[in-house]
């Protein structure tokens, strides 16, 4: 197991550099008829640049595509907006790529651009943050959204002794994944056992470090009795961890959510964030890479019941997701002081 971690780690580190270089403006190899040497071209668009989680997800996608002999195009706009992603989709359509995988900044706004891509024969899927069922052929989901939402409320409740004011520090107000998880948090909070917990605010740090810091500071100022923060975003939780640490609020305002072990280890070890959850972002991207390839090869069409082989992740099946379909990676994983030292080296 440890040997596997070490190999994985080396691969991930080597690819970080490559991924980091390819997220800015399109390069010549991105252009139509570029130097793809007849290889199929698979594009991934993340929410925005500057997010280490997004870099890991794109790395996983690139690993999969290269294992499969294709060319990966990694993209992310500077700002986490739908408009910026639409522009990138339009560019990819004119470059006649074979597949587009998108981590959506809005569930509905990308629909015309993605439909245009599908009409042009490009295979379209979402991962991590979904587009609506009409805008995609399949969605690659990190874990069951209900479990992700509920488990974070259960955690904060335990941390604050079931009583007091809590707030959510999210990504953007349009982010499909965070909004779905927050809906499940609210459903969990309806249970009478949480009658003494009050959700006072959902704040949006837009997955930008500085905005997430200032939104955390604003929460602390506006709600001086605040007992806990749930940040279901790796950018938000790391920013909140820093603010709570700098202000000496460890043990006074508790923190949990979804965090990248490499960014959160110091706060988990110090007790500012006693525990948190996530999944392997490299695997989310890797699974999307294999799913994109299966769509291009016609092994799957995106219908529930379709089956394919996802490299080192083994056999995967397309399942129903509301009006659409999805492929599930696995379960959220709990990170705490007992395992964080090991995981922080991996992602
Ligand atoms: C941030 C992004 C991403 C989400 C993670 C948990 O990095 O918003 O989409 O899945 O947090």
């Amino acid at each position: 197991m440890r040997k596997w971690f070490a190999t994985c780690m080396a691969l991930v580190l080597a690819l970080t550099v490559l991924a980091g270089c390819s997220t800015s403006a399109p390069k010549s190899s991105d252009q139509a008829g570029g130097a793809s040497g007849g290889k199929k071209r698979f594009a991934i668009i993340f929410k925005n640049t500057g997010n280490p989680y997004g870099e890991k997800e794109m790395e996983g996608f690139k690993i999969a595509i290269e294992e499969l002999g294709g060319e990966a195009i990694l993209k992310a706009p500077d700002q986490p907006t739908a408009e910026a992603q639409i522009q990138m989709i339009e560019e990819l359509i004119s470059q006649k790529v074979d597949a587009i995988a998108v981590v959506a900044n809005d569930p509905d706004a990308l629909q015309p651009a993605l439909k245009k891509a599908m009409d042009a024969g490009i295979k379209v899927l979402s991962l991590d943050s979904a587009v609506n069922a009409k805008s995609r052929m399949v969605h690659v989901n990190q874990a069951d959204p209900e479990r992700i939402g509920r488990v974070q409320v259960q955690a904060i409740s335990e941390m604050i002794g079931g009583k007091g004011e809590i707030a959510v520090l999210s990504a953007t107000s349009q982010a499909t994944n965070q909004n779905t998880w927050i809906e499940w948090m609210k459903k969990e909070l309806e249970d009478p056992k949480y009658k003494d917990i009050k959700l006072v605010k959902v704040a949006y740090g837009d997955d930008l470090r500085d905005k997430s810091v200032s939104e955390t500071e604003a929460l602390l100022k506006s709600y001086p009795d605040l007992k806990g923060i749930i940040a279901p975003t790796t950018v938000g939780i790391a920013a909140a961890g820093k603010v709570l640490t700098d202000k000496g609020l460890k043990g006074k305002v508790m923190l949990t959510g979804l965090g990248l072990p490499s960014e959160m280890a110091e706060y988990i070890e110090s007790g500012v964030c006693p525990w948190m959850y996530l999944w392997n972002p490299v695997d989310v991207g890797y699974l999307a890479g294999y799913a994109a390839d299966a769509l291009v090869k016609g092994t799957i069409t995106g219908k529930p019941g379709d089956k394919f082989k996802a490299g080192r992740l083994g056999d995967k099946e397309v399942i129903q997701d509301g009006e659409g379909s999805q492929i599930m990676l696995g379960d959220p994983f709990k990170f705490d002081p007992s395992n964080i030292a090991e995981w922080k080296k991996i992602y």
Side-chain angles (χ1 to χ4, degrees), residues 222-234:
S222 309
Y223 304 98
D225 294 329
L226 197 68
K227 291 285 178 295
I229 298 175
I230 301 177
T233 141
T234 58

Side-chain angles (χ1 to χ4, degrees), residues 46-47 51 53-54 57 103 128-129 142 171 177-178 181 207 232-235 258 278-279:
F46 188 67
K47 288 176 169 177
N51 181 346
Y53 172 100
E57 218 160 60
V103 183
D128 185 357
S129 181
Q142 47 270 65
N177 52 346
Q178 273 87 15
W181 301 329
D207 270 354
T233 141
T234 58
V235 179
L258 306 174
L278 200 70
W279 41 85

